[in-house]
Amino acid sequence: MEENVLLASNMSNQELMNKGNSMMDDTDQAIERGKKIVLETINVGTDTSAALKAQTDQMSRVVNELDSIHFSLKKASKLVKEIGRQVATDKCIMAFLFLIVIGVIAIIIVKIVNPNNKDIRDIPGLAPPAMNRRLLWNHY
């Protein structure tokens, strides 16, 4: 500070005025640079805020879609379980039908092979094998 006082004492009034004006110009320029920085900061903040809002909206949509997908997966899982039960039931029914068909075929084969077996009742609709063959017309 003492150097500035000594410097100022050696200067004329015009030089002091010029120096003061120069310092004020430098200060004005610094203030203008500061204002520009503040405006740029505000613009960056505004852009960042808009981008953040857009990303928040996008995240909200993604969460809604994930909820929808989760619901669909639960529903699909239930449908797959139900279809699995129906397939198991259908397989059981097919197995019982197969056993019934095999049993009927076995009874028919036994009746054809051994027609005199009285332990097996006649099957309705299945004519017993003919013991004596009779012709409907006579040979004269």
Side-chain angles (χ1 to χ4, degrees):
M1 182 157 171
E2 285 184 25
E3 290 177 17
N4 287 340
V5 172
L6 288 175
L7 252 161
S9 64
N10 292 335
M11 294 180 155
S12 69
N13 284 341
Q14 186 58 38
E15 290 175 333
L16 286 173
M17 288 290 285
N18 289 341
K19 183 69 174 170
N21 285 337
S22 174
M23 289 176 70
M24 285 183 2
D25 288 342
D26 291 344
T27 304
D28 287 343
Q29 288 174 1
I31 289 172
E32 286 302 317
R33 285 192 306 269
K35 284 181 181 179
K36 284 181 183 177
I37 290 172
V38 168
L39 284 175
E40 287 175 5
T41 304
I42 289 172
N43 289 338
V44 168
T46 303
D47 293 344
T48 303
S49 175
L52 186 59
K53 171 129 178 55
Q55 289 177 355
T56 301
D57 292 343
Q58 184 179 10
M59 288 298 290
S60 178
R61 285 191 304 275
V62 167
V63 167
N64 288 340
E65 288 177 19
L66 285 175
D67 287 343
S68 175
I69 290 170
H70 185 259
F71 175 75
S72 296
L73 283 175
K74 277 181 147 180
K75 194 171 184 179
S77 177
K78 286 181 182 179
L79 285 174
V80 166
K81 286 180 184 176
E82 182 63 30
I83 289 171
R85 286 187 198 116
Q86 289 175 356
V87 166
T89 301
D90 290 348
K91 284 184 179 180
C92 288
I93 291 171
M94 290 299 289
F96 285 131
L97 287 175
F98 178 74
L99 290 175
I100 290 170
V101 168
I102 294 296
V104 168
I105 291 172
I107 290 172
I108 291 171
I109 290 173
V110 169
K111 274 303 233 181
I112 290 173
V113 170
N114 191 2
N116 295 327
N117 188 351
K118 298 298 177 193
D119 293 335
I120 302 173
R121 296 183 316 181
D122 287 334
I123 301 171
L126 181 66
M131 295 303 197
N132 296 329
R133 186 171 177 200
R134 291 187 190 175
L135 299 176
L136 295 177
W137 53 280
N138 285 333
H139 254 92
Y140 291 105

